[in-house]
Amino acid sequence: MGVTLTPPTPADRAQAARERREIDSSCRGPVLHYAASAVAWLLVGTTLAVVASVKLHSPYFLTGSEYLTFGRVRMAHLQAVGIGWSAMAGMGGACWLMCRLSRATLLYPKLLHVAAGLWNVGMVANVLGILAGHGRSVEWLDSPPYVAPFLVASIGIFSVWTAATFVRRREPHVYVTQWYILAAVFWFPVLYLVTVGMIFWVRSTGVMQMVVNWWFGHNYLGLWLTPMGVGAAYYLIPKIIGRPVHSYYLSIIGFWALALFYSWAGIHHLIGGPIPAWLATASTVGSMMMFIPVIAVAINHHMTMLGSFHVLRYSPALRFTVFGAMTYTAVSFQGSIESLKDFSEVAHFTHYTVAHAHLGAYGFFTMVMFGLFYYMIPRLTGREWFSARLISLHFWCDAVGISIYFVSLTVGGWWQGRMLNDPNVPFGNIVEYVRPYLFTRSVAGCLMGVGHVAFALLLVANLAGWGRKRGIGPAYFVAPAGKPAAGEPAPV
Amino acid sequence: MDRGMVIIVGALLTFASSWLGLVLLPYRQLQNQQPYTASPGDDPYPRQLSEKALAGVGVYSANGCLYCHSQQVRSARFGNWWEGGEMKTGADIRRGWGNRRTVSRDYLHDRPTLLGTMRTGPDLANVGSRYSPAWQHQHLFNPRSFNAWSTMPSFAFLYRREPVEGGKRAETALRLGREWTVNPGYRWRPTDEEWDRILASQPGLADALKAANPGHFDVATPEGKARLLDFWLTTEEADHQVVPTADADHLVAYLLELRKAETPLPEAKE
């Protein structure tokens, strides 16, 4: 846009830095509370994931324990990573981004500590309750009945606080990240209440519960995690490489198209199922229309990066974020195609869908959150990450891990689907065929687990104050071209 | 209008559109569905589950059975394969998972509805028509006692291994060889030394096994002894039995009542 700005004077810069420090110190407590809890849930969820994964190919592993039977561990895993790690990472990040972008300090941070605490209590009850046999087998909503009040109270506080921070903004320009966050903190509580109400309270008949279930399941990703992930990437990429977003107008189109079409996409999970046919068709249309926001966001993220790819060599935060942003494009294209009936006919009911879900929730969302954490946490604690090598280990374990994961289950799942569709193939052959792919997945899961342990170590070290003090430059993978590794003051 | 209001109102409207379209409309369409009665006086279909089976739904969902087993038979037009140079469709029905596709009315009384999205194991919509209660119990106790390739978890924790009181077995006790019952959930096999000790402590055992399994093998050789062990492992334990707990009974009652794809429904015709 044709606005010329006068370059800021040193005094302006100092004033802006002071303001940023003030904002960061106001939200430090709750954001770190959310972030640390999220990483704890990530470790719990990863452990559960590996247990469940091994059980699928080695049924004698930890058998005989009712608490660790596959079905319960599977439910507990989804809750721990989906509702524990992902939501808490997103909320912590959203809180900080909202404060920063609104140039507003956080009011009464103690109340957000209460919100994070409530979410954690709910999650402990959730995971332990499921393992104890109180799970409900409603995908994404497996939590025992006594969990919902904690989550609702917590998200209620969080949403009101995020909106309040936005209302108190001192920055007149509303950046696209703020739109996404504001919409997400509005969507999720409404979505959750409507769904829980319609499945468990109103007691809708038969398949109607499943329709609401998948409307929720898909929108949890589409209207809660995706806006926060995309929003965070919109903030991080331009910020780290120091260039404005490619197109302001595209970001508007991307946002509104996502709001309109993503919410219509969920029911394609029931294609071929006992639901009115027009419903699945409507959702397929919604899914295909998702090409519009995805392409808009893809152009914006990738065109902004164009010419700055060398920064990926040294900036950890950017490397994670760009990995996530690129995966977002890929996984969304794949998702749209998966909603087609002919494709779904094979891929549905197989591990192909599991691979797709992990590419979205992990390859995209989780990787962007890692990027956000690497950027945000040093600014909150005033400490740099103590080991660039460990960050590198984290990145490669996760990037290679999710790639192996995706390829093995995509290939295995596709042929599983082809064989399921041929009644001349005995069921036992399919089970045996899929086993090596599931074993490969377990290996990939362990690799990702190593990355998560590295990340947790870095976070604990940072919170414990073991890293270098900020001010002499961030922890880079390698020294940036033309700059010494440590020397120049880092941008705050 | 303030930028914040634009976002909130816009988010509300887009969200409401999908709620109206994907939730409220089908809700209204399906809300008044009634059980089907073929001719006056017939039992309406679907029937309510028995009390035992309802408790079984609880066991089914608490243990996440849904994460490997779907409960929906897809249409005769779904699922295609090549056979004799010709493309055929209707894989679910051909696999024997049901006589017809399932439709929304089949799930009228289900709560929660356990449609499922994964087929690591076979579809269960009509499993009640396929197996006997005894098969279900033994299979739940250890699926590999039927199919060596099975990766289904053992649900031995739904069963109790107990001493046989007064030499009389319970009627509900599983009829399974000791290899499956000595260590519930696993497949037990003694080491060679243990087997020697067992043979030494029960003098008549070797002869009895040999008599019951005639054939040319020499019990003095290691191969012969191993063969004897194979025979012994398939016999039931004399002093212990495995009986289902109430949870196992309920679960099996539910599985037996799963007959969603049998009774003809007019709307299921294709």
Side-chain angles (χ1 to χ4, degrees), chain A residues 60 63 66 71-72 75 133 137 139 142 169 187 194 203 206 208-211 215 263-264 273-274 278 341 345 349 351 419-425 427, chain B residues 2 4 11 17-19 22-23 29 61-63 67 72 74 78-81 83 91 95 107 110-113 115 117-119 121-122 144 149 157 185-186:
Chain A
Y60 283 120
T63 196
E66 99 182 77
R72 295 191 193 178
M75 287 191 263
S137 281
E139 260 177 279
D142 300 301
R169 69 189 182 278
W187 281 327
V194 169
R203 309 209 133 226
M208 195 52 219
Q209 294 164 40
M210 287 299 100
V211 172
W215 180 71
S263 54
W264 275 83
W278 65 266
K341 183 210 156 245
E345 201 171 342
F349 294 129
H351 293 290
M419 295 198 296
L420 278 169
N421 278 354
D422 182 350
N424 299 320
V425 180
F427 203 87
Chain B
D2 177 40
S17 84
S18 94
W19 181 76
L22 295 184
V23 178
Q29 185 181 352
S61 39
N63 292 297
Y67 286 102
Q72 45 179 316
R74 294 190 292 181
F78 242 83
N80 56 57
W81 73 99
E83 195 175 308
R95 276 193 183 276
Y107 304 87
D110 289 17
R111 13 202 78 107
T113 310
L115 279 186
T117 50
M118 182 49 125
R119 283 178 175 170
R144 277 153 298 283
W149 47 260
F157 59 83
Y186 296 89

Coordinates of all heavy atoms in Angstrom, one line a residue, chain A residues 60 63 66 71-72 75 133 137 139 142 169 187 194 203 206 208-211 215 263-264 273-274 278 341 345 349 351 419-425 427, chain B residues 2 4 11 17-19 22-23 29 61-63 67 72 74 78-81 83 91 95 107 110-113 115 117-119 121-122 144 149 157 185-186:
Chain A
Y60 N 0.6 -58.2 22.2 CA 1.0 -58.7 23.5 C 1.7 -57.6 24.4 O 1.9 -57.8 25.5 CB 1.8 -60.0 23.5 CG 1.0 -61.2 23.1 CD1 1.3 -61.9 22.0 CD2 0.0 -61.6 23.9 CE1 0.5 -63.0 21.7 CE2 -0.8 -62.7 23.6 CZ -0.5 -63.4 22.5 OH -1.3 -64.5 22.2
T63 N -0.3 -56.1 27.5 CA -1.7 -56.5 27.5 C -2.0 -57.0 28.9 O -1.2 -57.0 29.8 CB -1.8 -57.7 26.5 OG1 -3.2 -57.9 26.3 CG2 -1.2 -59.0 27.0
E66 N -6.1 -53.4 32.3 CA -7.3 -52.8 31.7 C -7.1 -51.3 31.5 O -7.7 -50.7 30.6 CB -8.5 -53.1 32.7 CG -8.9 -52.0 33.6 CD -10.1 -52.5 34.5 OE1 -9.9 -53.2 35.4 OE2 -11.2 -52.0 34.2
G71 N -7.9 -49.2 23.2 CA -9.0 -48.3 23.1 C -8.9 -47.1 24.0 O -9.1 -45.9 23.7
R72 N -8.6 -47.4 25.3 CA -8.5 -46.3 26.3 C -7.3 -45.4 26.0 O -7.3 -44.2 26.1 CB -8.4 -46.9 27.7 CG -9.7 -47.6 28.1 CD -9.6 -48.0 29.5 NE -10.7 -48.9 29.8 CZ -10.9 -49.4 31.0 NH1 -10.1 -49.1 32.1 NH2 -11.9 -50.3 31.3
M75 N -7.9 -43.1 23.1 CA -8.7 -42.0 23.5 C -7.9 -41.0 24.3 O -8.0 -39.7 24.1 CB -9.9 -42.4 24.3 CG -11.0 -43.1 23.6 SD -12.5 -43.3 24.6 CE -12.3 -45.0 25.2
G133 N -11.6 -45.9 32.6 CA -12.8 -46.5 32.0 C -14.0 -45.6 32.0 O -15.1 -46.1 31.9
S137 N -16.1 -42.7 23.9 CA -16.1 -43.1 22.5 C -16.9 -42.2 21.6 O -17.7 -42.7 20.7 CB -16.6 -44.6 22.4 OG -15.5 -45.4 22.7
E139 N -15.7 -39.5 19.1 CA -14.4 -39.0 18.7 C -14.2 -37.5 18.9 O -15.1 -36.7 18.6 CB -14.2 -39.4 17.2 CG -13.3 -40.6 17.1 CD -13.1 -41.1 15.6 OE1 -14.0 -41.7 15.1 OE2 -12.0 -40.7 15.1
D142 N -14.2 -37.6 23.8 CA -14.2 -38.8 24.6 C -14.2 -38.5 26.1 O -14.3 -39.4 27.0 CB -12.9 -39.6 24.3 CG -12.9 -40.1 22.9 OD1 -13.8 -40.8 22.5 OD2 -11.9 -39.7 22.2
R169 N -7.0 -2.1 22.8 CA -5.8 -2.0 22.0 C -5.5 -0.5 21.8 O -6.3 0.4 21.7 CB -6.0 -2.6 20.6 CG -7.1 -2.0 19.7 CD -7.4 -2.9 18.6 NE -8.4 -2.3 17.7 CZ -9.7 -2.3 17.9 NH1 -10.2 -2.9 19.0 NH2 -10.5 -1.7 17.0
W187 N -15.3 -18.7 18.3 CA -15.8 -19.9 17.7 C -15.8 -21.1 18.7 O -16.7 -21.9 18.8 CB -15.1 -20.3 16.4 CG -15.5 -19.6 15.2 CD1 -16.7 -19.1 14.9 CD2 -14.6 -19.1 14.1 NE1 -16.7 -18.4 13.7 CE2 -15.4 -18.5 13.2 CE3 -13.3 -19.3 13.8 CZ2 -14.9 -17.9 12.0 CZ3 -12.8 -18.8 12.7 CH2 -13.6 -18.1 11.8
V194 N -22.4 -25.9 21.9 CA -23.5 -26.4 21.1 C -23.3 -27.9 20.9 O -24.3 -28.7 21.0 CB -23.4 -25.7 19.7 CG1 -24.3 -26.4 18.7 CG2 -23.8 -24.3 19.8
R203 N -29.8 -35.0 23.6 CA -29.9 -36.4 23.2 C -30.6 -36.5 21.9 O -31.7 -37.0 21.7 CB -30.7 -37.2 24.3 CG -30.2 -37.0 25.7 CD -30.4 -38.2 26.5 NE -29.2 -38.5 27.3 CZ -28.8 -39.8 27.4 NH1 -29.4 -40.7 26.7 NH2 -27.7 -40.0 28.0
G206 N -30.0 -41.1 17.2 CA -29.1 -41.9 16.4 C -28.0 -41.1 15.6 O -27.1 -40.6 16.2
M208 N -27.9 -38.5 14.1 CA -27.7 -37.0 14.3 C -26.5 -36.7 15.2 O -25.8 -35.7 15.0 CB -29.0 -36.5 14.9 CG -29.2 -35.0 14.8 SD -28.9 -34.4 13.1 CE -27.9 -32.9 13.5
Q209 N -26.4 -37.6 16.2 CA -25.2 -37.4 17.1 C -23.9 -37.4 16.3 O -23.0 -36.7 16.6 CB -25.2 -38.5 18.2 CG -26.3 -38.5 19.1 CD -26.4 -39.8 19.8 OE1 -25.4 -40.4 20.2 NE2 -27.6 -40.4 20.0
M210 N -23.9 -38.3 15.4 CA -22.6 -38.4 14.6 C -22.4 -37.2 13.7 O -21.3 -36.8 13.5 CB -22.7 -39.7 13.7 CG -22.5 -41.0 14.5 SD -20.9 -41.0 15.3 CE -21.4 -40.6 17.0
V211 N -23.5 -36.7 13.2 CA -23.4 -35.5 12.3 C -22.8 -34.4 13.2 O -21.9 -33.7 12.8 CB -24.8 -35.1 11.8 CG1 -24.7 -33.8 11.1 CG2 -25.3 -36.2 10.8
W215 N -19.2 -32.5 12.8 CA -19.2 -31.1 12.6 C -18.3 -30.5 13.7 O -17.5 -29.6 13.3 CB -20.7 -30.6 12.9 CG -20.9 -29.1 12.8 CD1 -20.9 -28.4 11.6 CD2 -21.2 -28.2 13.8 NE1 -21.1 -27.1 11.9 CE2 -21.4 -27.0 13.2 CE3 -21.4 -28.4 15.2 CZ2 -21.7 -25.8 14.0 CZ3 -21.7 -27.3 15.9 CH2 -21.8 -26.0 15.3
S263 N -16.2 -24.2 8.1 CA -17.2 -24.6 9.0 C -18.2 -25.6 8.3 O -18.9 -26.3 9.0 CB -17.9 -23.4 9.6 OG -18.4 -22.6 8.6
W264 N -18.2 -25.6 7.0 CA -19.1 -26.5 6.3 C -18.5 -27.8 5.9 O -19.1 -28.7 5.3 CB -19.5 -25.8 5.0 CG -20.7 -24.9 5.2 CD1 -20.6 -23.6 5.6 CD2 -22.1 -25.2 5.0 NE1 -21.9 -23.1 5.7 CE2 -22.8 -24.0 5.3 CE3 -22.8 -26.3 4.5 CZ2 -24.2 -23.9 5.2 CZ3 -24.1 -26.2 4.5 CH2 -24.8 -25.1 4.8
G273 N -21.9 -43.2 4.6 CA -22.6 -43.6 5.9 C -24.1 -43.4 5.8 O -24.6 -42.9 4.9
P274 N -24.7 -43.8 6.9 CA -26.2 -43.8 6.9 C -26.7 -42.4 7.3 O -27.5 -42.2 8.2 CB -26.5 -44.8 8.1 CG -25.4 -44.7 9.0 CD -24.2 -44.4 8.1
W278 N -27.5 -35.6 0.9 CA -27.3 -34.1 0.6 C -26.3 -33.5 1.6 O -25.6 -32.6 1.3 CB -28.6 -33.3 0.6 CG -29.3 -33.2 1.9 CD1 -30.3 -34.0 2.4 CD2 -29.1 -32.3 3.0 NE1 -30.7 -33.7 3.6 CE2 -30.0 -32.6 4.0 CE3 -28.2 -31.2 3.1 CZ2 -30.0 -31.8 5.2 CZ3 -28.2 -30.5 4.3 CH2 -29.1 -30.8 5.3
K341 N -16.0 -38.2 -3.2 CA -16.6 -39.6 -2.9 C -15.7 -40.7 -3.4 O -15.5 -41.7 -2.6 CB -18.0 -39.7 -3.6 CG -18.7 -41.0 -3.2 CD -19.6 -41.4 -4.4 CE -19.8 -42.9 -4.3 NZ -19.3 -43.6 -5.5
E345 N -14.0 -43.4 -0.8 CA -14.4 -44.8 -0.9 C -13.3 -45.7 -0.5 O -13.5 -46.7 0.1 CB -14.8 -45.0 -2.3 CG -15.7 -46.2 -2.5 CD -16.3 -46.2 -4.0 OE1 -16.2 -45.2 -4.7 OE2 -16.7 -47.3 -4.4
F349 N -12.0 -45.2 6.6 CA -11.9 -46.4 7.4 C -10.5 -47.0 7.4 O -10.3 -48.1 7.7 CB -12.8 -47.5 6.9 CG -14.3 -47.2 7.0 CD1 -15.2 -47.4 6.0 CD2 -14.8 -46.8 8.3 CE1 -16.5 -47.1 6.1 CE2 -16.2 -46.6 8.4 CZ -17.0 -46.7 7.3
H351 N -5.9 -46.3 7.7 CA -4.9 -45.5 8.3 C -4.5 -44.3 7.4 O -3.7 -43.4 7.9 CB -3.6 -46.3 8.6 CG -3.9 -47.4 9.6 ND1 -4.1 -47.1 10.9 CD2 -4.0 -48.7 9.5 CE1 -4.3 -48.2 11.6 NE2 -4.3 -49.2 10.8
M419 N -7.7 -53.1 -0.5 CA -8.0 -54.5 -0.2 C -9.3 -54.7 0.6 O -10.0 -55.6 0.3 CB -6.8 -55.1 0.7 CG -5.5 -55.1 -0.1 SD -4.3 -56.2 0.5 CE -3.8 -55.6 1.9
L420 N -9.7 -53.7 1.4 CA -11.0 -53.8 2.1 C -12.1 -53.7 1.1 O -13.1 -54.3 1.3 CB -11.1 -52.6 3.1 CG -10.5 -52.7 4.4 CD1 -10.5 -51.4 5.2 CD2 -11.2 -53.8 5.3
N421 N -11.8 -53.0 0.0 CA -12.9 -52.9 -1.0 C -12.9 -54.2 -1.9 O -13.8 -54.2 -2.9 CB -12.7 -51.7 -1.9 CG -13.2 -50.5 -1.2 OD1 -13.8 -50.6 -0.2 ND2 -12.9 -49.3 -1.8
D422 N -12.1 -55.1 -1.7 CA -12.1 -56.4 -2.5 C -12.4 -57.5 -1.6 O -11.6 -58.0 -0.9 CB -10.7 -56.6 -3.2 CG -10.8 -57.8 -4.1 OD1 -11.7 -58.6 -4.0 OD2 -9.8 -58.0 -4.9
P423 N -13.7 -58.0 -1.7 CA -14.1 -59.0 -0.7 C -13.3 -60.4 -1.0 O -13.4 -61.3 -0.1 CB -15.6 -59.2 -1.0 CG -15.8 -58.6 -2.3 CD -14.8 -57.6 -2.5
N424 N -12.6 -60.5 -2.0 CA -11.9 -61.7 -2.2 C -10.6 -61.8 -1.4 O -9.9 -62.8 -1.3 CB -11.5 -61.9 -3.7 CG -12.8 -62.0 -4.6 OD1 -13.8 -62.6 -4.2 ND2 -12.8 -61.3 -5.7
V425 N -10.2 -60.6 -0.8 CA -9.0 -60.6 0.0 C -9.5 -60.9 1.4 O -10.2 -60.2 2.0 CB -8.3 -59.2 0.0 CG1 -7.1 -59.2 0.9 CG2 -8.0 -58.8 -1.4
F427 N -9.8 -61.0 5.4 CA -9.5 -59.9 6.3 C -8.1 -60.1 7.0 O -7.4 -59.1 7.2 CB -10.6 -59.8 7.4 CG -10.6 -58.5 8.0 CD1 -11.4 -57.5 7.4 CD2 -9.9 -58.2 9.1 CE1 -11.4 -56.2 7.9 CE2 -9.9 -56.9 9.7 CZ -10.7 -55.9 9.1
Chain B
D2 N -16.8 -0.6 14.1 CA -15.5 -0.9 14.7 C -15.0 -2.2 14.0 O -15.8 -3.2 13.8 CB -15.7 -1.1 16.2 CG -14.4 -1.5 16.8 OD1 -13.3 -1.0 16.4 OD2 -14.4 -2.4 17.7
G4 N -13.3 -4.7 15.2 CA -13.6 -5.8 16.1 C -15.0 -6.3 15.9 O -15.2 -7.5 15.8
A11 N -17.9 -13.6 12.0 CA -17.6 -14.9 12.5 C -18.9 -15.6 13.0 O -19.1 -16.8 12.7 CB -16.6 -14.9 13.7
S17 N -24.3 -20.0 9.7 CA -24.7 -20.6 8.5 C -24.4 -22.1 8.5 O -25.3 -22.9 8.1 CB -24.0 -19.9 7.3 OG -22.7 -20.5 7.1
S18 N -23.2 -22.5 9.0 CA -22.9 -23.9 8.9 C -23.7 -24.7 10.0 O -24.1 -25.8 9.8 CB -21.4 -24.1 9.1 OG -21.1 -24.4 10.5
W19 N -24.0 -24.0 11.1 CA -24.9 -24.6 12.1 C -26.3 -24.9 11.6 O -26.8 -26.0 11.7 CB -24.9 -23.8 13.4 CG -25.7 -24.4 14.5 CD1 -25.3 -25.5 15.3 CD2 -27.1 -24.1 14.9 NE1 -26.4 -25.8 16.1 CE2 -27.4 -25.0 15.9 CE3 -28.0 -23.2 14.4 CZ2 -28.7 -25.0 16.5 CZ3 -29.2 -23.1 15.0 CH2 -29.6 -24.0 16.1
L22 N -25.7 -27.6 8.5 CA -25.2 -29.0 8.8 C -25.7 -29.6 10.1 O -25.6 -30.8 10.3 CB -23.6 -28.9 8.9 CG -22.9 -28.6 7.6 CD1 -21.4 -28.7 7.9 CD2 -23.3 -29.5 6.5
V23 N -26.4 -28.8 10.9 CA -26.9 -29.3 12.2 C -28.4 -29.2 12.3 O -29.1 -30.1 12.4 CB -26.2 -28.6 13.4 CG1 -26.7 -29.2 14.7 CG2 -24.7 -28.9 13.4
Q29 N -34.8 -32.9 9.9 CA -35.2 -33.9 9.0 C -35.3 -35.3 9.7 O -36.1 -36.1 9.4 CB -34.1 -34.0 7.9 CG -34.5 -35.0 6.8 CD -33.4 -35.1 5.7 OE1 -32.5 -34.3 5.7 NE2 -33.5 -36.0 4.8
S61 N -18.0 -48.6 24.8 CA -17.5 -47.3 24.6 C -16.4 -47.0 25.6 O -15.5 -46.2 25.3 CB -18.6 -46.2 24.6 OG -19.6 -46.5 25.6
A62 N -16.5 -47.5 26.8 CA -15.4 -47.2 27.8 C -14.1 -47.8 27.3 O -13.0 -47.2 27.6 CB -15.7 -47.8 29.1
N63 N -14.1 -48.8 26.5 CA -12.9 -49.5 26.1 C -12.5 -49.1 24.6 O -11.6 -49.7 24.1 CB -12.9 -51.0 26.3 CG -12.9 -51.3 27.8 OD1 -12.0 -51.0 28.5 ND2 -14.0 -51.9 28.2
Y67 N -12.7 -47.4 18.0 CA -11.5 -47.0 17.3 C -10.9 -48.0 16.4 O -9.9 -47.7 15.7 CB -10.5 -46.4 18.4 CG -11.0 -45.1 18.9 CD1 -11.6 -45.0 20.1 CD2 -10.9 -44.0 18.1 CE1 -12.0 -43.8 20.6 CE2 -11.4 -42.8 18.5 CZ -11.9 -42.7 19.8 OH -12.4 -41.5 20.2
Q72 N -21.3 -49.7 10.3 CA -22.1 -49.2 9.3 C -21.8 -50.0 8.0 O -20.6 -50.3 7.7 CB -21.8 -47.7 9.0 CG -20.4 -47.3 9.0 CD -20.2 -45.8 8.7 OE1 -20.8 -45.3 7.9 NE2 -19.3 -45.2 9.5
R74 N -21.8 -50.1 4.1 CA -22.0 -49.2 3.0 C -22.8 -49.8 1.9 O -22.9 -51.0 1.7 CB -20.6 -48.7 2.6 CG -19.9 -47.9 3.6 CD -18.7 -47.2 3.1 NE -17.6 -48.2 2.8 CZ -16.4 -47.8 2.3 NH1 -16.2 -46.6 2.2 NH2 -15.6 -48.7 2.0
F78 N -21.1 -48.9 -3.2 CA -19.8 -48.4 -2.6 C -18.8 -49.5 -2.5 O -19.1 -50.7 -2.2 CB -20.1 -47.9 -1.2 CG -19.8 -46.4 -1.0 CD1 -20.7 -45.5 -1.4 CD2 -18.6 -46.0 -0.5 CE1 -20.4 -44.1 -1.3 CE2 -18.3 -44.6 -0.3 CZ -19.2 -43.7 -0.7
G79 N -17.6 -49.2 -2.7 CA -16.5 -50.2 -2.5 C -16.4 -51.0 -3.8 O -17.2 -51.9 -4.0
N80 N -15.4 -50.8 -4.7 CA -15.4 -51.5 -5.9 C -14.1 -52.3 -6.1 O -13.1 -51.9 -5.6 CB -15.6 -50.5 -7.1 CG -14.6 -49.4 -7.1 OD1 -13.4 -49.7 -7.1 ND2 -15.0 -48.2 -7.0
W81 N -14.2 -53.4 -6.8 CA -13.0 -54.2 -7.1 C -13.2 -54.9 -8.4 O -14.3 -54.9 -9.0 CB -12.9 -55.3 -6.0 CG -13.9 -56.4 -6.1 CD1 -13.7 -57.6 -6.6 CD2 -15.2 -56.4 -5.5 NE1 -14.8 -58.4 -6.4 CE2 -15.8 -57.6 -5.8 CE3 -16.0 -55.4 -4.9 CZ2 -17.1 -58.0 -5.5 CZ3 -17.3 -55.8 -4.5 CH2 -17.8 -57.0 -4.8
E83 N -13.1 -58.1 -10.9 CA -13.2 -59.6 -10.8 C -13.6 -60.1 -12.2 O -14.6 -59.7 -12.7 CB -14.3 -60.0 -9.8 CG -14.2 -61.4 -9.4 CD -15.2 -61.7 -8.3 OE1 -15.2 -61.0 -7.2 OE2 -16.0 -62.6 -8.4
A91 N -18.6 -54.0 -1.7 CA -17.7 -54.8 -0.9 C -18.2 -55.2 0.5 O -18.1 -56.3 0.9 CB -16.3 -54.2 -0.8
R95 N -18.6 -59.0 1.8 CA -17.8 -59.5 2.9 C -18.7 -60.2 3.9 O -18.2 -60.8 4.9 CB -17.0 -58.4 3.5 CG -15.7 -58.1 2.8 CD -14.8 -57.3 3.7 NE -13.6 -57.0 2.9 CZ -12.5 -57.8 2.8 NH1 -12.5 -58.9 3.4 NH2 -11.5 -57.4 2.0
Y107 N -30.2 -46.7 13.5 CA -29.5 -46.2 14.7 C -30.4 -45.4 15.6 O -29.9 -44.7 16.5 CB -28.4 -45.3 14.2 CG -27.4 -46.0 13.3 CD1 -27.7 -46.0 11.9 CD2 -26.3 -46.7 13.8 CE1 -26.8 -46.7 11.1 CE2 -25.5 -47.4 12.9 CZ -25.7 -47.4 11.6 OH -24.9 -48.1 10.7
D110 N -29.7 -45.6 19.3 CA -28.3 -45.7 19.8 C -27.9 -44.5 20.5 O -28.1 -43.4 20.1 CB -27.4 -45.9 18.6 CG -27.5 -47.3 18.0 OD1 -28.6 -48.0 18.3 OD2 -26.7 -47.7 17.2
R111 N -27.3 -44.7 21.7 CA -26.7 -43.6 22.4 C -25.5 -44.1 23.2 O -25.8 -44.9 24.1 CB -27.5 -42.8 23.3 CG -28.8 -43.0 23.8 CD -29.5 -41.7 24.2 NE -30.0 -40.9 23.2 CZ -31.3 -40.8 22.9 NH1 -32.2 -41.4 23.7 NH2 -31.7 -40.0 22.0
P112 N -24.4 -43.8 23.0 CA -24.0 -43.0 21.9 C -24.0 -43.8 20.6 O -24.0 -45.0 20.7 CB -22.5 -42.6 22.2 CG -22.0 -43.7 23.0 CD -23.2 -44.2 23.8
T113 N -24.1 -43.1 19.5 CA -24.1 -43.8 18.2 C -22.7 -44.2 17.9 O -21.8 -43.3 17.9 CB -24.7 -42.9 17.1 OG1 -25.9 -42.4 17.6 CG2 -24.9 -43.7 15.8
L115 N -20.9 -45.3 15.2 CA -20.7 -45.5 13.8 C -19.2 -45.9 13.5 O -18.9 -46.8 12.7 CB -21.0 -44.3 12.9 CG -22.4 -44.0 12.6 CD1 -22.5 -42.8 11.7 CD2 -23.1 -45.2 11.9
T117 N -15.0 -44.8 12.5 CA -14.4 -44.3 11.3 C -13.2 -45.1 10.9 O -12.4 -44.7 10.1 CB -13.9 -42.8 11.4 OG1 -13.2 -42.7 12.6 CG2 -15.1 -41.9 11.5
M118 N -13.1 -46.3 11.5 CA -11.8 -47.0 11.3 C -12.2 -48.5 11.2 O -13.1 -49.0 11.9 CB -10.9 -46.8 12.4 CG -9.6 -47.4 12.3 SD -8.8 -47.2 10.7 CE -7.3 -46.5 11.2
R119 N -11.5 -49.2 10.2 CA -11.7 -50.6 10.1 C -10.4 -51.4 10.2 O -10.0 -52.1 9.4 CB -12.4 -50.9 8.8 CG -13.8 -50.6 8.8 CD -14.5 -50.9 7.5 NE -16.0 -50.7 7.6 CZ -16.8 -50.7 6.6 NH1 -16.3 -50.8 5.4 NH2 -18.1 -50.5 6.8
G121 N -10.3 -53.5 12.4 CA -11.0 -54.8 12.5 C -12.2 -54.8 11.7 O -12.6 -53.7 11.1
P122 N -12.9 -55.9 11.5 CA -14.1 -55.9 10.7 C -15.3 -55.1 11.2 O -15.3 -54.7 12.4 CB -14.5 -57.4 10.6 CG -13.5 -58.1 11.4 CD -12.6 -57.2 12.1
R144 N -6.3 -64.3 19.6 CA -5.3 -65.1 18.9 C -5.6 -66.6 19.1 O -4.9 -67.5 18.5 CB -3.9 -64.7 19.3 CG -3.4 -63.5 18.5 CD -2.4 -62.7 19.2 NE -2.8 -62.1 20.4 CZ -3.6 -61.0 20.5 NH1 -4.1 -60.4 19.4 NH2 -4.0 -60.5 21.6
W149 N -3.3 -64.4 13.3 CA -2.9 -63.1 12.7 C -3.5 -61.9 13.4 O -3.2 -60.8 13.2 CB -3.2 -63.1 11.3 CG -4.6 -63.5 10.9 CD1 -4.9 -64.8 10.4 CD2 -5.8 -62.8 11.1 NE1 -6.3 -64.8 10.3 CE2 -6.9 -63.7 10.6 CE3 -6.2 -61.5 11.5 CZ2 -8.2 -63.3 10.6 CZ3 -7.5 -61.1 11.5 CH2 -8.5 -62.0 11.1
F157 N -9.0 -58.9 31.0 CA -9.4 -58.2 32.2 C -10.9 -58.2 32.5 O -11.4 -57.8 33.5 CB -8.8 -56.8 32.3 CG -9.2 -55.9 31.2 CD1 -10.4 -55.2 31.2 CD2 -8.4 -55.7 30.1 CE1 -10.8 -54.3 30.2 CE2 -8.8 -54.8 29.0 CZ -10.0 -54.2 29.1
G185 N -4.5 -63.4 28.9 CA -4.1 -62.3 28.1 C -2.9 -62.7 27.2 O -2.6 -62.1 26.2
Y186 N -2.1 -63.7 27.7 CA -0.9 -64.1 27.0 C -1.1 -65.5 26.5 O -2.0 -66.2 26.9 CB 0.3 -64.0 27.9 CG 0.6 -62.6 28.3 CD1 0.1 -62.0 29.4 CD2 1.5 -61.8 27.5 CE1 0.3 -60.7 29.8 CE2 1.8 -60.5 27.9 CZ 1.2 -59.9 29.0 OH 1.4 -58.6 29.4

